[in-house]
Amino acid sequence: MSDNWTAIAMAFIALFLVGGVFSFFKQGLKMGALLLAALAVLATTAAVLWW
């Protein structure tokens, strides 16, 4: 498990970005929410591939 710290960190970053997506969407910043959603997908992909 100690080798997976990067994957765990990327998963937490992805969760943080998903929270930002909801926040930006509620504020009406749809382009920002779209950007954060794309970054969350990339972070999730990185976590899965690193695992």
Side-chain angles (χ1 to χ4, degrees):
M1 176 101 175
S2 63
D3 295 335
N4 293 330
W5 287 114
T6 305
I8 293 168
M10 292 306 286
F12 279 117
I13 290 171
L15 290 173
F16 179 76
L17 289 171
V18 168
V21 169
F22 287 119
S23 176
F24 273 38
F25 193 73
K26 283 174 55 176
Q27 294 178 36
L29 302 170
K30 293 181 181 170
M31 289 303 292
L34 183 63
L35 175 64
L36 288 180
L39 291 174
V41 167
L42 289 174
T44 303
T45 304
V48 169
L49 290 176
W50 196 280
W51 202 278

